[in-house]
Amino acid sequence: MGDKLIRQNVIDELDFDPSIDAAHIGVAVEKGIVTLTGHVANYAERVTAEKAAQKVRGVRGVVEKITVRFAGETPPRDEDLAQRAVQMLDWSATVPKDAVQVKVQTGWVTLSGKVDWQYQKEEAYRSIKRLAGVTGIINNIEVAPKASAPDVRAKILAALKRNAELEADAIKVTVKDAKVVLEGRVNAWHERRLAETAAWSAPGVRAVEDHLTLG
């Protein structure tokens, strides 16, 4: 698939999503690598635009350079944004209370602390993502390992085999020191995301290295 067609498909995908104001987003494609530029109204829209581009067939990578611009509004003070972020975490039924700390600097929210499961780390991120005034999120929350490497590998392989969209036999899984390495071949970009999700679903996984190729 040529870059010109990929670019048009990405533009169409952005236009298709009603939560994205695609008029202010620029799209460039070179050798299957999509670069998104321009500005959006909030951080959640920025993330949605990146995910929309990743879904398009033929996309091999996405470089996201979109900025958050608050049209006609004064962004909240960092102190107020930090208080809102802490409240959202406290209200979450998934994130353990007092397990996550928040730091805010010029609208960028940094999350730190330690949780037992990857889904708790992801839920902390989702709790903050839609807050008004957030321009970016750095998720430094650690996941404490609780399972042995063979157990983790077995759970990941089982998850891959359960997914009908993946050719599990084409994916090699290696686990060492709570880090998962994925190698092999998938047919589309979104299949890489499915494989990564399967890897993160195992308890105790702290890092995932995706060396999967498209073919």
Side-chain angles (χ1 to χ4, degrees):
M1 187 177 295
D3 287 345
K4 186 176 180 180
L5 180 56
I6 292 174
R7 178 178 182 273
Q8 187 57 54
N9 287 344
V10 170
I11 292 173
D12 291 343
E13 188 68 28
L14 293 172
D15 284 334
F16 180 74
D17 193 321
S19 66
I20 301 172
D21 185 358
H24 300 295
I25 299 176
V27 179
V29 182
E30 184 175 355
K31 297 180 180 179
I33 304 299
V34 176
T35 300
L36 301 177
T37 56
H39 60 88
V40 293
N42 53 65
Y43 179 72
E45 187 178 351
R46 175 180 161 188
V47 173
T48 302
E50 181 181 0
K51 289 183 177 180
Q54 290 173 342
K55 289 193 295 184
V56 173
R57 183 176 296 277
V59 172
R60 303 181 66 85
V62 177
V63 179
E64 191 265 286
K65 295 184 177 181
I66 300 172
T67 59
V68 177
R69 185 182 298 177
F70 304 101
E73 297 181 5
T74 301
R77 299 183 310 151
D78 287 345
E79 293 85 350
D80 296 333
L81 185 54
Q83 288 181 358
R84 293 179 194 172
V86 169
Q87 277 186 334
M88 295 302 293
L89 292 170
D90 286 344
W91 289 339
S92 173
T94 304
V95 181
K97 189 170 179 60
D98 299 327
V100 177
Q101 292 77 51
V102 175
K103 172 186 173 184
V104 181
Q105 186 172 11
T106 60
W108 274 83
V109 179
T110 301
L111 303 175
S112 59
K114 184 176 289 189
V115 294
D116 293 331
W117 293 85
Q118 177 65 21
Y119 76 85
Q120 294 171 329
K121 175 178 179 175
E122 292 174 354
E123 178 58 31
Y125 169 83
R126 283 192 291 267
S127 297
I128 307 302
K129 184 176 70 172
R130 296 190 179 279
L131 277 178
V134 172
T135 57
I137 299 176
I138 301 172
N139 195 346
N140 288 335
I141 299 172
E142 293 184 33
V143 179
K146 278 196 169 183
S148 66
D151 289 341
V152 171
R153 183 174 182 275
K155 290 180 183 296
I156 293 171
L157 288 173
L160 292 173
K161 290 178 180 178
R162 285 195 300 270
N163 196 309
E165 294 187 58
L166 292 173
E167 296 179 16
D169 292 340
I171 299 175
K172 177 184 176 183
V173 179
T174 306
V175 181
K176 184 177 182 181
D177 298 328
K179 180 177 74 173
V180 178
V181 179
L182 300 175
E183 298 173 292
R185 175 184 53 79
V186 292
N187 295 317
W189 176 270
H190 78 278
E191 291 182 9
R192 292 182 65 176
R193 298 300 297 267
L194 291 173
E196 288 179 13
T197 300
W200 279 118
S201 67
V205 173
R206 299 176 110 181
V208 174
E209 288 188 8
D210 181 357
H211 299 310
L212 296 169
T213 58
L214 300 179

